[in-house]
Amino acid sequence: MRNILCNIINPVSIEKAEYLTNHVLSLDGKTILSITSLSDFEGEYEDYSDCLALPGFIDLHVHLSQYRIRGHYYPALLPWLKQSVFPEESKSRDLDYAQKLSEDFFIAQLRAGTTCSVIYTAPYREAADAAFFTAQDMGIRALIGMTLMDQNSPENMLQTTDYAITNSIELHEKWQTDLLGYIFTPRFAPTCTKTLMQEIGSYANVNKAFVQTHLSENHAEIAWVKELFQKESYTDVYQDFGILTSRTLLGHAIHLSDQELGTIKASGAKITHCPDSNFYLKSGEYPLKRIQEAGIPFGLGSDVGAGTSLNMLYHAKMMNFRQSSDPIMPEEMLYRVTLGSAKLLELEDRIGSLKPGKDADIVFLSPPPDVGIDQHSLSQICFYGEEFRVKEVLVAGRRHTF
Ligand code: GUN
Ligand code: FE
């Protein structure tokens, strides 16, 4: 049992956040028991009154196996994959490498205040297992997938279709714990055969499993997909092969026709918007207004290694900065890295905001020395959050300090 005096900022909706100054957050093991105004509280408490408490951040799209190649610059998706990504991901074939990388990655995520993420690993079963075992040991909350590539891939990464399917299903059956789950991860259409996508789509549909992939990020990629599969659109490939379900997370989704937006909306699939990556690789500007008008839910991803940081407050800022004319308010920036993303993962009953009964996934931020805590705090953390120190992070009540 812990009682912590702090100042809470909670997302409520896209438009609204609530401030609870000088409140005592009472935790019972992994759960938030109560939130009480200091004036109504009796008993001992830990004094974090110089801190802000927020729900832990959620990263909906991140490549663990690319953590070490952040900033290896080549501003075009397909050559960047070939030159930087594939050589690095292939190193995770070595179990020791994959193991150490997983540890470094999860520590870095916690240091950035991220308490839940949706992860691509490498195309090796052992690397995916290493990520799961490490996450389990550290008490991490995540959906993790083995990246699937059974065509158009370097020889040392190329899976047989059978390997890709069998190991994905085994991993799905094996990793269903309180905090961890599996996500089927066909990398993107160019590296996946029709058979693989159909099998994964059909299994995911029957078993109500999560699926993640990349969609319409880059013009050369889109042209390649149309040529490979002879379809009218990139979205049609996923739709026709059964990949689009209400538990599918589509990375990027930048260059889409109205018809494609209609297909995605009808399928119930969600979008993971990765603004930093989109400008790093010069992929293009996310059509935020059109996607909102189409009514497609979306949340934010770092897309490390094309994204340069694991800090989701930085990506919330990038979401604002990577729209040339439409401003995004701090309440929405917060929502997109907390409650909004929890909803996409169907986890809003457990995480995404600080409420009695929810799991204690909490980040405590200390403002820089000259910055007080007041009604501007949310706006300040959205625009210079990296200057706020992450004092402590809790995942389901487990404490990590730095
Ligand atoms: N499309 C297919 N693979 C990748 C990847 O690793 N990163 C990004 N940004 N796009 C991809
Ligand atoms: Fe990605």
Side-chain angles (χ1 to χ4, degrees):
M1 180 83 188
R2 287 180 76 188
N3 298 309
I4 306 167
L5 175 64
C6 56
N7 304 285
I8 296 169
I9 302 180
N10 245 339
V12 176
S13 65
I14 289 180
E15 293 90 19
K16 193 166 174 236
E18 81 185 343
Y19 289 78
L20 301 170
T21 48
N22 283 319
H23 275 61
V24 178
L25 197 47
S26 298
L27 312 179
D28 187 7
K30 61 176 277 210
T31 309
I32 299 173
L33 192 63
S34 60
I35 298 174
T36 317
S37 169
L38 178 60
S39 49
D40 298 331
F41 184 80
E42 287 174 13
E44 302 272 302
Y45 55 78
E46 296 168 63
D47 189 355
Y48 284 32
S49 57
D50 57 349
C51 282
L52 295 161
L54 287 89
F57 305 128
I58 301 174
D59 184 346
L60 287 179
H61 182 126
V62 59
H63 298 259
L64 183 155
S65 311
Q66 295 173 21
Y67 176 55
R68 298 215 197 289
I69 53 150
R70 283 173 303 144
H72 290 206
Y73 196 53
Y74 196 100
L77 174 66
L78 299 175
W80 173 74
L81 287 174
K82 204 166 167 187
Q83 289 179 23
S84 289
V85 173
F86 293 161
E88 174 61 23
E89 283 191 16
S90 64
K91 292 183 189 165
S92 286
R93 196 174 199 165
D94 178 313
L95 187 55
D96 290 340
Y97 190 88
Q99 179 68 42
K100 178 74 171 74
L101 179 60
S102 299
E103 288 164 21
D104 292 348
F105 172 83
F106 287 125
I107 289 169
Q109 270 198 325
L110 291 170
R111 280 181 183 278
T114 297
T115 55
C116 175
S117 59
V118 185
I119 297 173
Y120 286 69
T121 57
Y124 313 110
R125 164 69 186 264
E126 294 75 10
D129 263 323
F132 272 113
F133 279 118
T134 309
Q136 188 173 47
D137 282 352
M138 291 173 66
I140 296 289
R141 188 190 301 276
L143 289 179
I144 301 176
M146 176 180 73
T147 302
L148 304 182
M149 309 169 69
D150 72 335
Q151 68 170 5
N152 296 320
S153 304
E155 210 180 317
N156 60 355
M157 301 180 86
L158 186 69
Q159 302 160 320
T160 64
T161 308
D162 183 55
Y163 176 99
I165 295 167
T166 311
N167 284 290
S168 296
I169 292 173
E170 279 178 25
L171 284 161
H172 172 73
E173 287 169 351
K174 177 175 175 185
W175 290 106
Q176 301 189 18
T177 72
D178 188 33
L179 300 182
L180 296 172
Y182 191 69
I183 182 162
F184 287 86
T185 306
R187 177 173 214 122
F188 67 156
T191 64
C192 298
T193 59
K194 175 180 168 182
T195 308
L196 176 61
M197 288 189 269
Q198 284 175 330
E199 293 280 324
I200 294 296
S202 130
Y203 184 93
N205 262 297
V206 171
N207 294 280
K208 307 211 177 315
F210 277 92
V211 177
Q212 62 181 344
T213 189
H214 296 86
L215 170 68
S216 288
E217 179 178 3
N218 166 284
H219 290 298
E221 171 209 19
I222 295 165
W224 192 21
V225 170
K226 286 187 187 170
E227 184 199 316
L228 277 172
F229 295 97
Q230 297 293 311
K231 295 274 182 195
E232 195 54 35
S233 76
Y234 198 157
T235 303
D236 280 353
V237 173
Y238 291 150
Q239 167 70 6
D240 293 354
F241 299 161
I243 290 290
L244 295 186
T245 78
S246 63
R247 290 189 171 156
T248 298
L249 305 179
L250 299 165
H252 306 290
I254 303 173
H255 310 288
L256 296 170
S257 67
D258 289 344
Q259 203 175 4
E260 289 179 278
L261 292 180
T263 303
I264 295 170
K265 169 67 183 166
S267 73
K270 280 76 181 185
I271 292 173
T272 56
H273 170 32
C274 308
D276 190 44
S277 161
N278 293 163
F279 276 70
Y280 181 83
L281 292 174
K282 300 296 165 228
S283 303
E285 182 174 325
Y286 182 67
L288 194 143
K289 264 244 162 86
R290 287 180 62 226
I291 282 169
Q292 265 172 336
E293 280 164 13
I296 302 169
F298 74 93
L300 283 175
S302 69
D303 199 26
V304 158
T308 52
S309 170
L310 287 173
N311 187 318
M312 294 311 293
L313 290 175
Y314 166 79
H315 292 287
K317 177 160 85 173
M318 288 303 124
M319 178 190 171
N320 181 312
F321 282 17
R322 298 323 189 183
Q323 290 296 309
S324 25
S325 42
D326 295 314
I328 293 157
M329 300 309 284
E331 289 76 9
E332 175 166 1
M333 294 161 77
L334 173 67
Y335 181 82
R336 298 288 180 194
V337 296
T338 55
L339 188 58
S341 295
K343 285 189 177 163
L344 264 58
L345 299 176
E346 301 170 20
L347 286 174
E348 72 268 29
D349 291 344
R350 294 188 63 185
I351 58 170
S353 58
L354 305 185
K355 293 268 177 255
K358 285 198 182 189
D359 285 6
D361 282 24
I362 307 170
V363 54
F364 291 98
L365 298 176
S366 305
D370 56 334
V371 176
I373 289 177
D374 58 25
Q375 76 276 20
H376 300 293
S377 294
L378 173 60
S379 179
Q380 289 169 325
I381 61 164
C382 284
F383 289 99
Y384 56 94
E386 62 280 4
E387 290 184 34
F388 286 62
R389 188 172 75 83
V390 175
K391 178 189 169 94
E392 183 177 322
V393 170
L394 302 175
V395 184
R398 178 156 160 185
R399 188 175 183 177
H400 302 268
T401 48
F402 310 104

PDB file of all heavy atoms in Angstrom, residues 63 66 77 80-81 85 89 187-188 214 217 252 277 281 303 306, ligand 1:
ATOM      1  N   HIS A  63       9.728  -0.266 -33.252  1.00  0.00           N
ATOM      2  CA  HIS A  63      10.527  -1.424 -33.674  1.00  0.00           C
ATOM      3  C   HIS A  63      11.666  -1.613 -32.679  1.00  0.00           C
ATOM      4  O   HIS A  63      12.681  -0.902 -32.741  1.00  0.00           O
ATOM      5  CB  HIS A  63      11.109  -1.199 -35.069  1.00  0.00           C
ATOM      6  CG  HIS A  63      10.078  -1.042 -36.149  1.00  0.00           C
ATOM      7  ND1 HIS A  63       9.745  -2.054 -37.015  1.00  0.00           N
ATOM      8  CD2 HIS A  63       9.299   0.003 -36.500  1.00  0.00           C
ATOM      9  CE1 HIS A  63       8.806  -1.631 -37.853  1.00  0.00           C
ATOM     10  NE2 HIS A  63       8.523  -0.377 -37.567  1.00  0.00           N
ATOM     11  N   GLN A  66      15.186  -2.038 -33.999  1.00  0.00           N
ATOM     12  CA  GLN A  66      15.827  -0.897 -34.671  1.00  0.00           C
ATOM     13  C   GLN A  66      16.305   0.158 -33.663  1.00  0.00           C
ATOM     14  O   GLN A  66      16.717   1.249 -34.057  1.00  0.00           O
ATOM     15  CB  GLN A  66      14.838  -0.233 -35.642  1.00  0.00           C
ATOM     16  CG  GLN A  66      14.425  -1.133 -36.792  1.00  0.00           C
ATOM     17  CD  GLN A  66      13.315  -0.529 -37.646  1.00  0.00           C
ATOM     18  OE1 GLN A  66      13.091   0.676 -37.656  1.00  0.00           O
ATOM     19  NE2 GLN A  66      12.619  -1.378 -38.386  1.00  0.00           N
ATOM     20  N   LEU A  77      12.094   5.596 -47.708  1.00  0.00           N
ATOM     21  CA  LEU A  77      11.793   4.334 -47.025  1.00  0.00           C
ATOM     22  C   LEU A  77      12.545   3.119 -47.571  1.00  0.00           C
ATOM     23  O   LEU A  77      13.244   2.430 -46.811  1.00  0.00           O
ATOM     24  CB  LEU A  77      10.273   4.065 -47.073  1.00  0.00           C
ATOM     25  CG  LEU A  77       9.850   2.696 -46.526  1.00  0.00           C
ATOM     26  CD1 LEU A  77      10.108   2.583 -45.033  1.00  0.00           C
ATOM     27  CD2 LEU A  77       8.371   2.422 -46.832  1.00  0.00           C
ATOM     28  N   TRP A  80      16.336   3.066 -47.262  1.00  0.00           N
ATOM     29  CA  TRP A  80      16.668   3.076 -45.817  1.00  0.00           C
ATOM     30  C   TRP A  80      16.494   1.677 -45.226  1.00  0.00           C
ATOM     31  O   TRP A  80      17.341   1.206 -44.449  1.00  0.00           O
ATOM     32  CB  TRP A  80      15.786   4.100 -45.102  1.00  0.00           C
ATOM     33  CG  TRP A  80      15.886   4.098 -43.604  1.00  0.00           C
ATOM     34  CD1 TRP A  80      16.916   4.584 -42.844  1.00  0.00           C
ATOM     35  CD2 TRP A  80      14.904   3.592 -42.684  1.00  0.00           C
ATOM     36  NE1 TRP A  80      16.633   4.409 -41.504  1.00  0.00           N
ATOM     37  CE2 TRP A  80      15.402   3.803 -41.376  1.00  0.00           C
ATOM     38  CE3 TRP A  80      13.651   2.991 -42.827  1.00  0.00           C
ATOM     39  CZ2 TRP A  80      14.703   3.429 -40.229  1.00  0.00           C
ATOM     40  CZ3 TRP A  80      12.946   2.626 -41.699  1.00  0.00           C
ATOM     41  CH2 TRP A  80      13.478   2.838 -40.411  1.00  0.00           C
ATOM     42  N   LEU A  81      15.413   0.990 -45.620  1.00  0.00           N
ATOM     43  CA  LEU A  81      15.220  -0.383 -45.120  1.00  0.00           C
ATOM     44  C   LEU A  81      16.410  -1.246 -45.525  1.00  0.00           C
ATOM     45  O   LEU A  81      16.961  -1.997 -44.713  1.00  0.00           O
ATOM     46  CB  LEU A  81      13.931  -0.987 -45.694  1.00  0.00           C
ATOM     47  CG  LEU A  81      12.596  -0.468 -45.132  1.00  0.00           C
ATOM     48  CD1 LEU A  81      11.417  -1.054 -45.910  1.00  0.00           C
ATOM     49  CD2 LEU A  81      12.452  -0.795 -43.641  1.00  0.00           C
ATOM     50  N   VAL A  85      18.110  -0.735 -42.007  1.00  0.00           N
ATOM     51  CA  VAL A  85      17.225  -1.534 -41.156  1.00  0.00           C
ATOM     52  C   VAL A  85      17.538  -3.028 -41.251  1.00  0.00           C
ATOM     53  O   VAL A  85      17.721  -3.702 -40.225  1.00  0.00           O
ATOM     54  CB  VAL A  85      15.744  -1.280 -41.523  1.00  0.00           C
ATOM     55  CG1 VAL A  85      14.828  -2.230 -40.774  1.00  0.00           C
ATOM     56  CG2 VAL A  85      15.391   0.166 -41.210  1.00  0.00           C
ATOM     57  N   GLU A  89      18.515  -5.380 -38.158  1.00  0.00           N
ATOM     58  CA  GLU A  89      17.562  -6.376 -37.648  1.00  0.00           C
ATOM     59  C   GLU A  89      18.140  -7.786 -37.741  1.00  0.00           C
ATOM     60  O   GLU A  89      17.843  -8.647 -36.906  1.00  0.00           O
ATOM     61  CB  GLU A  89      16.223  -6.308 -38.404  1.00  0.00           C
ATOM     62  CG  GLU A  89      15.374  -5.134 -37.961  1.00  0.00           C
ATOM     63  CD  GLU A  89      13.942  -5.172 -38.485  1.00  0.00           C
ATOM     64  OE1 GLU A  89      13.486  -6.236 -38.955  1.00  0.00           O
ATOM     65  OE2 GLU A  89      13.281  -4.131 -38.415  1.00  0.00           O
ATOM     66  N   ARG A 187       5.080  -7.692 -41.902  1.00  0.00           N
ATOM     67  CA  ARG A 187       5.810  -6.411 -41.918  1.00  0.00           C
ATOM     68  C   ARG A 187       5.107  -5.362 -42.782  1.00  0.00           C
ATOM     69  O   ARG A 187       4.762  -4.297 -42.330  1.00  0.00           O
ATOM     70  CB  ARG A 187       7.228  -6.650 -42.433  1.00  0.00           C
ATOM     71  CG  ARG A 187       8.010  -5.392 -42.547  1.00  0.00           C
ATOM     72  CD  ARG A 187       9.465  -5.568 -42.891  1.00  0.00           C
ATOM     73  NE  ARG A 187      10.147  -4.509 -42.207  1.00  0.00           N
ATOM     74  CZ  ARG A 187      11.129  -4.651 -41.323  1.00  0.00           C
ATOM     75  NH1 ARG A 187      11.634  -5.822 -41.082  1.00  0.00           N
ATOM     76  NH2 ARG A 187      11.626  -3.623 -40.707  1.00  0.00           N
ATOM     77  N   PHE A 188       4.942  -5.668 -44.059  1.00  0.00           N
ATOM     78  CA  PHE A 188       4.129  -4.889 -44.999  1.00  0.00           C
ATOM     79  C   PHE A 188       3.976  -5.736 -46.251  1.00  0.00           C
ATOM     80  O   PHE A 188       4.705  -6.717 -46.442  1.00  0.00           O
ATOM     81  CB  PHE A 188       4.669  -3.480 -45.260  1.00  0.00           C
ATOM     82  CG  PHE A 188       5.982  -3.305 -46.001  1.00  0.00           C
ATOM     83  CD1 PHE A 188       6.236  -2.113 -46.685  1.00  0.00           C
ATOM     84  CD2 PHE A 188       6.977  -4.282 -46.011  1.00  0.00           C
ATOM     85  CE1 PHE A 188       7.431  -1.896 -47.358  1.00  0.00           C
ATOM     86  CE2 PHE A 188       8.192  -4.078 -46.678  1.00  0.00           C
ATOM     87  CZ  PHE A 188       8.405  -2.884 -47.352  1.00  0.00           C
ATOM     88  N   HIS A 214       2.301  -2.119 -41.915  1.00  0.00           N
ATOM     89  CA  HIS A 214       2.490  -0.767 -42.432  1.00  0.00           C
ATOM     90  C   HIS A 214       1.610  -0.590 -43.671  1.00  0.00           C
ATOM     91  O   HIS A 214       1.444  -1.532 -44.450  1.00  0.00           O
ATOM     92  CB  HIS A 214       3.952  -0.546 -42.837  1.00  0.00           C
ATOM     93  CG  HIS A 214       4.923  -0.609 -41.698  1.00  0.00           C
ATOM     94  ND1 HIS A 214       5.469  -1.786 -41.247  1.00  0.00           N
ATOM     95  CD2 HIS A 214       5.442   0.379 -40.923  1.00  0.00           C
ATOM     96  CE1 HIS A 214       6.298  -1.519 -40.244  1.00  0.00           C
ATOM     97  NE2 HIS A 214       6.298  -0.220 -40.020  1.00  0.00           N
ATOM     98  N   GLU A 217       2.882   4.350 -46.857  1.00  0.00           N
ATOM     99  CA  GLU A 217       3.783   5.284 -46.186  1.00  0.00           C
ATOM    100  C   GLU A 217       4.520   6.144 -47.214  1.00  0.00           C
ATOM    101  O   GLU A 217       4.796   7.310 -46.963  1.00  0.00           O
ATOM    102  CB  GLU A 217       4.774   4.441 -45.352  1.00  0.00           C
ATOM    103  CG  GLU A 217       5.820   5.190 -44.594  1.00  0.00           C
ATOM    104  CD  GLU A 217       6.704   4.249 -43.764  1.00  0.00           C
ATOM    105  OE1 GLU A 217       6.508   3.010 -43.852  1.00  0.00           O
ATOM    106  OE2 GLU A 217       7.584   4.750 -43.052  1.00  0.00           O
ATOM    107  N   HIS A 252       1.249   4.372 -40.208  1.00  0.00           N
ATOM    108  CA  HIS A 252       1.430   5.475 -41.165  1.00  0.00           C
ATOM    109  C   HIS A 252       0.145   5.889 -41.884  1.00  0.00           C
ATOM    110  O   HIS A 252      -0.410   6.912 -41.577  1.00  0.00           O
ATOM    111  CB  HIS A 252       2.562   5.187 -42.148  1.00  0.00           C
ATOM    112  CG  HIS A 252       3.838   4.855 -41.451  1.00  0.00           C
ATOM    113  ND1 HIS A 252       4.560   5.798 -40.760  1.00  0.00           N
ATOM    114  CD2 HIS A 252       4.483   3.677 -41.254  1.00  0.00           C
ATOM    115  CE1 HIS A 252       5.611   5.229 -40.193  1.00  0.00           C
ATOM    116  NE2 HIS A 252       5.584   3.932 -40.470  1.00  0.00           N
ATOM    117  N   SER A 277       8.693  10.037 -37.746  1.00  0.00           N
ATOM    118  CA  SER A 277       9.171   9.154 -38.806  1.00  0.00           C
ATOM    119  C   SER A 277       8.760   9.667 -40.181  1.00  0.00           C
ATOM    120  O   SER A 277       9.547   9.646 -41.130  1.00  0.00           O
ATOM    121  CB  SER A 277       8.587   7.757 -38.564  1.00  0.00           C
ATOM    122  OG  SER A 277       8.624   6.974 -39.718  1.00  0.00           O
ATOM    123  N   LEU A 281      11.797  10.380 -42.869  1.00  0.00           N
ATOM    124  CA  LEU A 281      11.967   9.643 -44.133  1.00  0.00           C
ATOM    125  C   LEU A 281      11.371  10.395 -45.327  1.00  0.00           C
ATOM    126  O   LEU A 281      11.365   9.881 -46.440  1.00  0.00           O
ATOM    127  CB  LEU A 281      11.311   8.258 -44.028  1.00  0.00           C
ATOM    128  CG  LEU A 281      11.965   7.253 -43.077  1.00  0.00           C
ATOM    129  CD1 LEU A 281      11.124   5.976 -42.967  1.00  0.00           C
ATOM    130  CD2 LEU A 281      13.378   6.893 -43.537  1.00  0.00           C
ATOM    131  N   ASP A 303       7.614   4.932 -33.900  1.00  0.00           N
ATOM    132  CA  ASP A 303       8.259   4.301 -35.058  1.00  0.00           C
ATOM    133  C   ASP A 303       9.784   4.332 -34.981  1.00  0.00           C
ATOM    134  O   ASP A 303      10.454   4.403 -36.010  1.00  0.00           O
ATOM    135  CB  ASP A 303       7.768   4.902 -36.380  1.00  0.00           C
ATOM    136  CG  ASP A 303       8.051   3.985 -37.565  1.00  0.00           C
ATOM    137  OD1 ASP A 303       8.154   2.759 -37.369  1.00  0.00           O
ATOM    138  OD2 ASP A 303       8.201   4.495 -38.699  1.00  0.00           O
ATOM    139  N   ALA A 306      12.889   4.736 -37.425  1.00  0.00           N
ATOM    140  CA  ALA A 306      12.726   5.924 -38.262  1.00  0.00           C
ATOM    141  C   ALA A 306      12.344   7.095 -37.382  1.00  0.00           C
ATOM    142  O   ALA A 306      12.661   8.234 -37.690  1.00  0.00           O
ATOM    143  CB  ALA A 306      11.684   5.693 -39.342  1.00  0.00           C
TER     144      ALA A 306
HETATM  145  N1  GUN B   1       7.726  -0.487 -43.784  1.00  0.00           N
HETATM  146  C1  GUN B   1       8.132  -1.761 -43.732  1.00  0.00           C
HETATM  147  N2  GUN B   1       9.027  -1.952 -42.743  1.00  0.00           N
HETATM  148  C2  GUN B   1       9.178  -0.760 -42.161  1.00  0.00           C
HETATM  149  C3  GUN B   1       9.982  -0.305 -41.076  1.00  0.00           C
HETATM  150  O1  GUN B   1      10.729  -1.056 -40.448  1.00  0.00           O
HETATM  151  N3  GUN B   1       9.882   1.020 -40.764  1.00  0.00           N
HETATM  152  C4  GUN B   1       9.061   1.877 -41.434  1.00  0.00           C
HETATM  153  N4  GUN B   1       9.006   3.155 -41.073  1.00  0.00           N
HETATM  154  N5  GUN B   1       8.313   1.474 -42.458  1.00  0.00           N
HETATM  155  C5  GUN B   1       8.373   0.171 -42.813  1.00  0.00           C
END
